[in-house]
Amino acid sequence: MVRTPLTPEERERGERLGLLLRSARGERSMVEIAAAAGLSAETLRKIETGRAPTPAFFTVAALARVLDLSMDELVVLCTPAPAPAPAPV
């Protein structure tokens, strides 16, 4: 099965998610957070570094629960800003 390439917006959203999760983790170890969320540390590492820019909903929900983040906040903070409209000619 061939996977459809990600759009630039999807990649940017994944990078934003990774940065947000890394920031929310603070000084806690990747292993500690991953275990509490029921994930491997490698999965969390891939999400945080943007190598897994489209993690499953339940993966994000589990991380949000462990990191005490609101799913609503994640949606807002991870959504790229719309591109500016071209200037009228």
Side-chain angles (χ1 to χ4, degrees):
M1 182 169 134
V2 176
R3 185 174 180 171
T4 306
L6 297 175
T7 65
E9 291 82 16
E10 289 170 322
R11 281 194 290 281
E12 183 180 347
R13 188 172 46 239
E15 289 171 7
R16 287 173 179 246
L17 175 63
L19 290 171
L20 183 64
L21 294 175
R22 174 63 190 100
S23 175
R25 183 164 58 87
E27 296 298 316
R28 295 178 283 180
S29 79
M30 192 175 285
V31 172
E32 173 190 346
I33 298 302
L39 308 170
S40 71
E42 183 58 25
T43 296
L44 180 54
R45 182 182 339 280
K46 287 179 181 177
I47 294 168
E48 284 187 1
T49 61
R51 288 186 11 235
T54 58
F57 172 81
F58 291 104
T59 299
V60 176
L63 288 167
R65 178 185 50 81
V66 169
L67 295 170
D68 199 29
L69 295 170
S70 156
M71 291 295 284
D72 290 333
E73 280 181 305
L74 287 177
V75 169
V76 170
L77 294 172
C78 293
T79 301
V89 200

